[in-house]
Amino acid sequence: MTHQRDLSGQPEGEVNFRLDDLFFSRTDPRGVILAGNDVFQNVSGFAWSELLGAPHKIIRHPDTPRAVFRILWDALGNGFPMGGYVKNRARNGDFYWVFAVILPTEGGFLSVRLKPSTPLFAQIRKVYAELAARERAERLDPGDSARRLWTIITEAGFTSYTTFMASALGQELAARDHRLGRPEDPRTRRLIEMNEALERVTQEQKKLLRSFESLQSIPNNMRLVASRLEPSGGPVSAISENYRASSLVISDRLRSFVSGRENLCDRVSREVARALFLLGANRVMAEMIATFRQAEPVPGLDWQTEAAKLAEARGATRRDSHAALTTAVGHAEELARSSAEIRRLMLGLDTIRVMGRVECGRLRENGAGLVSTIDQLDLFHAEIKARLETILRLSEDIGSAMSRFVKADPDG
């Protein structure tokens, strides 16, 4: 392999390539390039003799945070497909951006990459620039940097890197279809909408949990009011204690599927996101396979072999996406049942609140403090019930939509 000069100090410009161009490469488990296509070779600017047998990091650009590669390789090393935005460097020091879809295969990994063009891509360029600068300035360990990237993604409204990755690929494919004048892919669109709806469910449930936790101070206020209004053990004290006990049951139930590792919300979201990503991967691999039919011969490469490996990987993504959706359907049904159960528990809490309102009437002018406390409960309950209705409706809609999706494609 020809030794490469250090090009990091040279002025850089962006390599131009078409929106319908797709990059392909295949590596061994160590990341050594075993095969690629003409787009990869032309845009990178390396000769075939320089690419084949070289480590894939030959095209790595220092502006791509090491956090990205840590996340990618952690997933791939565990046998999971993964994707993300990557800034690469050409042989002459120029750069080019891709959205990479990477899948583990027998004997290594294969990747199909497309040109990104969405508003999300514009946002991620800024995030990468800031994170890469911090890595250099603070000498961040890749693990610490990856945690920072996860935090940024979470703050942007995504529940995990998986949901971000899937949403990004879905958006990139939809934008690419639109810009190339292609008809919209209805399957991709439905899964994008499901993914977005699941993110809304998760955010609503987190807000709901915060509302319940805010309620915990109100029974204490009730007890203080009761101590001024009645002897120990009176009706207001009993109402406050019953309310506290019932609200704690609901809060604990909420935490079981909103927070903590492997909570129900995350499981549903992760499986739908996984299905969306695999469906997108399936699409780009089908398009990639078709290009091999017109590929010019290259010494050391067998296009039929590469097409066969892609076809095998494509079949796996199709089966796995169907399995992920089937699993997600079960989780979504459980999520809807949990939401309905909390709504039923809220009816009991409402009964206790009404009893407090009755006590306000009995106490008349002496119960001003209790009236104020019950007014607070009224506001919280109205907010909580509205969130519960939204969660229940979204959960049921998502479950129904996924069931229809699976039934429409029973063979996966």
Side-chain angles (χ1 to χ4, degrees):
M1 185 185 75
T2 303
H3 179 70
Q4 299 304 309
R5 294 179 294 117
D6 180 11
L7 303 169
S8 58
Q10 292 190 3
E12 293 186 347
E14 186 162 7
V15 182
N16 188 34
F17 59 96
R18 300 194 312 268
L19 198 61
D20 59 346
D21 283 334
L22 287 177
F23 296 65
F24 166 74
S25 61
R26 183 170 60 83
T27 73
D28 71 7
R30 296 175 298 121
V32 173
I33 300 170
L34 302 176
N37 71 333
D38 60 336
V39 175
F40 178 35
Q41 187 265 318
N42 289 334
V43 175
S44 70
F46 288 92
W48 281 116
S49 59
E50 296 172 309
L51 283 176
L52 297 177
H56 208 281
K57 65 183 180 182
I58 194 174
I59 59 167
R60 182 177 295 186
H61 197 290
D63 286 351
T64 300
R66 291 187 297 164
V68 176
F69 297 110
R70 168 59 65 90
I71 292 170
L72 291 175
W73 284 111
D74 280 353
L76 293 167
N78 287 308
F80 297 113
M82 189 51 76
Y85 293 101
V86 179
K87 184 179 184 180
N88 287 329
R89 183 165 62 177
R91 190 184 191 282
N92 66 354
D94 288 347
F95 68 92
Y96 59 97
W97 283 91
V98 295
F99 186 92
V101 175
I102 312 169
L103 294 96
T105 62
E106 186 177 353
F109 307 96
L110 63 81
S111 173
V112 179
R113 305 179 289 283
L114 53 88
K115 185 173 187 174
S117 62
T118 62
L120 180 61
F121 166 55
Q123 294 172 27
I124 210 69
R125 290 177 74 151
K126 295 178 182 177
V127 169
Y128 277 19
E130 293 170 3
L131 189 55
R134 291 191 68 171
E135 285 183 348
R136 289 189 287 267
E138 301 174 25
R139 297 183 180 179
L140 287 180
D141 174 85
D144 291 335
S145 185
R147 283 186 284 276
R148 289 176 187 258
L149 182 55
W150 285 326
T151 299
I152 292 168
I153 287 168
T154 301
E155 289 174 350
F158 297 97
T159 55
S160 66
Y161 186 85
T162 302
T163 55
F164 161 73
M165 167 195 72
S167 179
L169 178 56
Q171 290 180 48
E172 292 297 345
L173 288 173
R176 187 168 177 265
D177 287 341
H178 176 72
R179 290 169 181 262
L180 293 174
R182 298 175 178 176
E184 182 179 65
D185 178 60
R187 290 164 55 86
T188 303
R189 170 48 51 195
R190 284 198 297 272
L191 278 177
I192 290 173
E193 290 169 354
M194 277 188 259
N195 202 47
E196 291 171 347
L198 275 166
E199 292 297 307
R200 290 199 299 275
V201 169
T202 302
Q203 296 307 318
E204 283 292 315
Q205 285 174 328
K206 287 179 179 176
K207 292 174 185 175
L208 182 61
L209 180 59
R210 286 197 293 270
S211 295
F212 267 105
E213 289 173 342
S214 298
L215 280 178
Q216 303 310 309
S217 64
I218 294 180
N220 293 330
N221 295 339
M222 275 184 162
R223 283 197 296 274
L224 290 173
V225 170
S227 67
R228 295 194 298 268
L229 296 175
E230 61 185 16
S232 176
V236 177
S237 297
I239 288 169
S240 67
E241 183 55 35
N242 287 339
Y243 193 95
R244 186 189 70 82
S246 297
S247 63
L248 283 174
V249 169
I250 299 176
S251 292
D252 288 344
R253 187 73 187 89
L254 264 175
R255 287 190 191 94
S256 71
F257 65 90
V258 175
S259 59
R261 287 180 60 84
E262 293 301 306
N263 67 76
L264 185 54
C265 289
D266 282 357
R267 278 184 280 156
V268 179
S269 184
R270 187 166 57 244
E271 292 298 333
V272 172
R274 184 165 175 260
L276 172 57
F277 180 77
L278 290 169
L279 184 67
N282 189 281
R283 282 191 59 200
V284 295
M285 283 191 287
E287 189 175 337
M288 188 75 256
I289 291 168
T291 68
F292 287 147
R293 301 190 190 106
Q294 292 83 36
E296 296 291 330
V298 174
L301 292 178
D302 182 341
W303 299 126
Q304 286 187 335
T305 297
E306 301 309 320
K309 289 183 178 296
L310 269 169
E312 182 180 353
R314 185 183 175 219
T317 61
R318 186 171 174 81
R319 292 189 299 273
D320 290 347
S321 64
H322 186 269
L325 271 180
T326 302
T327 301
V329 168
H331 290 334
E333 290 171 350
E334 186 181 349
L335 186 61
R337 286 193 298 270
S338 296
S339 299
E341 179 189 350
I342 289 175
R343 187 171 63 173
R344 287 192 297 272
L345 291 171
M346 272 300 297
L347 293 176
L349 209 57
D350 264 338
T351 300
I352 301 172
R353 178 180 60 87
V354 171
M355 291 171 62
R357 182 66 73 187
V358 170
E359 283 301 309
C360 290
R362 183 180 66 80
L363 294 169
R364 293 190 175 88
E365 65 273 6
N366 293 328
L370 183 59
V371 170
S372 175
T373 302
I374 299 299
D375 285 345
Q376 281 184 286
L377 285 182
D378 289 345
L379 293 174
F380 272 118
H381 278 230
E383 175 190 337
I384 287 167
K385 283 190 283 189
R387 292 200 189 283
L388 275 171
E389 289 301 322
T390 300
I391 291 166
L392 186 57
R393 175 178 51 79
L394 285 170
S395 299
E396 290 173 343
D397 289 348
I398 291 164
S400 298
M402 285 192 290
S403 295
R404 290 194 300 271
F405 198 103
V406 171
K407 289 174 182 175
D409 190 20
D411 297 327

